[in-house]
Amino acid sequence: MGKKVVITDYQYENIDAERRIIGARGYELCDYQIKDAGELIPVCRDADAIVTQYSDVSAELIDSLEHCAMIIKYGIGVNNIDVEAATRKGIYVCNVPDYGVEEVSDHTVAMMLALAKKLPVLTRALREGDWGYGSTVPLSRFCESTVGLVGFGRIPQLVAKKLKGFGVAIRVCDPYADENLVREYGAEPVELDELLAESDFISVHVPLTRETRGMIGEAEFRRMKSTAVVINTARGGVIHEKALVEALKTGRIAGAAVDVYEEEPVKADNPLLHMDNVIATPHCAWYSETAITTLQRKVAEEVVNVLDGNKPMNCINLS
């Protein structure tokens, strides 16, 4: 019997590319729209490969797998997959780390510039009949700002590259980044406390792990300038959302731009959606038509690569 590939869930218009690439190798492709781990157990038990987007790929589900070789995420962050459980069973956990880096870095810079020029404030004021710049006072010159990047992987590297032309000073906190590489991008490596204290714009770019969950919380907001703004296009759980809301309400910080939330889809009554000093978007920083087609193609190619007996191109758990 041919090998079986299960797609647990997806939000794309179709999976024609996956069917074409995986089917061409003679592998069976089964697709569902199931998020719950318990409901997935009977359909995934005999899978050789699992493709997932938002489903809960729990330890219970992983332990039930009979001969699965790989679990791959439609995306970068694998926080919905129990990586430790997969590692114990010798199952590759893979992702596609480069499909949307241009889009996310663009989104980050766009949010930063919109906050720097107070565009949402200006737009709202003008609609209410306020002609002039009074609603934005005081406004600082962007090129005199300091931008702090928390994390220095592919996306923040592109953010640094794209910001270079604006003349801002860039600080980077990433204990895993090569300091020489950081300096090659015109940035200065610093500790987190220094970055928080010096930066006018603080942009978060770390994966959500046990170590990074809630790493920006009440204590960190107290270290920031009252004029600072925070941008998060990484994962909602990296920033303690309640502490962020409180910092914004009390004026501890000046503003925020968020594309990700602790609970997704975000609820309509989330305070971040109703604050004048916040830009909020629906976890779409990654999106472009090119990004979608690239992601779907690369996922299918990685599945075929591994089921053909090769080592994965992008594996996060097994060497």
Side-chain angles (χ1 to χ4, degrees):
M1 184 179 293
K3 294 180 179 179
K4 177 181 175 181
V5 179
V6 169
I7 299 180
T8 64
D9 65 307
Y10 60 92
Q11 63 176 12
Y12 313 117
E13 184 177 345
N14 61 67
I15 53 170
D16 293 346
E18 292 91 324
R19 291 194 183 283
R20 183 177 66 255
I21 295 169
I22 293 171
R25 299 296 297 170
Y27 301 140
E28 177 188 7
L29 179 60
C30 305
D31 67 286
Y32 302 91
Q33 291 292 358
I34 302 175
K35 301 289 200 302
D36 180 74
E39 294 179 24
L40 282 168
I41 287 175
V43 300
C44 291
R45 191 185 304 276
D46 62 344
D48 295 280
I50 296 174
V51 179
T52 187
Q53 189 161 25
Y54 300 122
S55 295
D56 178 18
V57 186
S58 68
E60 179 187 18
L61 170 59
I62 291 168
D63 288 343
S64 74
L65 301 176
E66 296 173 348
H67 48 73
C68 187
M70 71 177 301
I71 302 166
I72 185 166
K73 173 69 179 279
Y74 274 125
I76 300 175
V78 295
N79 45 289
N80 62 311
I81 302 170
D82 192 317
V83 178
E84 291 183 2
T87 303
R88 286 196 300 269
K89 289 204 71 168
I91 299 172
Y92 292 124
V93 176
C94 305
N95 65 354
V96 186
D98 57 354
Y99 77 98
V101 293
E102 291 288 353
E103 288 77 5
V104 178
S105 58
D106 285 348
H107 202 91
T108 300
V109 173
M111 283 178 151
M112 198 176 296
L113 289 170
L115 288 168
K117 296 295 294 181
K118 299 187 179 179
L119 298 187
V121 174
L122 276 171
T123 300
R124 183 171 53 255
L126 182 57
R127 286 173 177 167
E128 294 171 355
D130 183 2
W131 177 263
Y133 62 86
S135 61
T136 66
V137 175
L139 189 71
S140 300
R141 183 173 284 178
F142 185 57
C143 68
E144 297 174 354
S145 302
T146 296
V147 174
L149 302 176
V150 183
F152 204 61
R154 291 175 174 86
I155 291 169
Q157 287 173 21
L158 281 174
V159 171
K161 179 181 178 181
K162 292 169 183 180
L163 286 175
K164 190 174 181 180
F166 288 96
V168 297
I170 302 174
R171 305 284 185 267
V172 168
C173 174
D174 188 333
Y176 303 104
D178 183 285
E179 291 190 0
N180 292 326
L181 176 65
V182 172
R183 292 190 175 94
E184 285 177 14
Y185 279 85
E188 179 183 347
V190 296
E191 297 297 321
L192 183 60
D193 282 352
E194 184 178 346
L195 182 149
L196 297 175
E198 293 184 354
S199 298
D200 302 291
F201 299 86
I202 297 163
S203 190
V204 177
H205 300 279
V206 297
L208 180 59
T209 65
R210 189 174 296 146
E211 291 73 25
T212 64
R213 183 176 292 277
M215 70 176 291
I216 306 295
E218 182 180 352
E220 287 70 33
F221 288 120
R222 286 199 301 267
R223 296 188 180 100
M224 298 179 190
K225 299 178 181 180
S226 61
T227 53
V229 298
V230 174
I231 300 101
N232 188 9
T233 54
R235 283 294 183 270
V238 174
I239 294 180
H240 192 288
E241 203 164 280
K242 185 177 180 181
L244 172 60
V245 169
E246 186 65 20
L248 290 163
K249 283 183 176 179
T250 60
R252 178 57 264 168
I253 62 172
V258 292
D259 185 56
V260 289
Y261 308 85
E262 285 186 348
E263 182 181 350
E264 295 184 357
V266 65
K267 292 183 178 179
D269 62 354
N270 188 309
L272 293 173
L273 306 187
H274 306 281
M275 304 178 82
D276 291 341
N277 52 348
V278 175
I279 297 174
T281 55
H283 201 153
C284 62
W286 59 272
Y287 168 71
S288 76
E289 287 301 299
T290 301
I292 284 180
T293 56
T294 300
L295 175 60
Q296 293 185 260
R297 173 179 56 79
K298 287 194 171 187
V299 163
E301 289 172 348
E302 183 75 293
V303 167
V304 168
N305 175 59
V306 171
L307 293 189
D308 280 353
N310 304 307
K311 287 191 174 182
M313 294 172 280
N314 293 295
C315 180
I316 69 162
N317 64 331
L318 300 172
S319 57

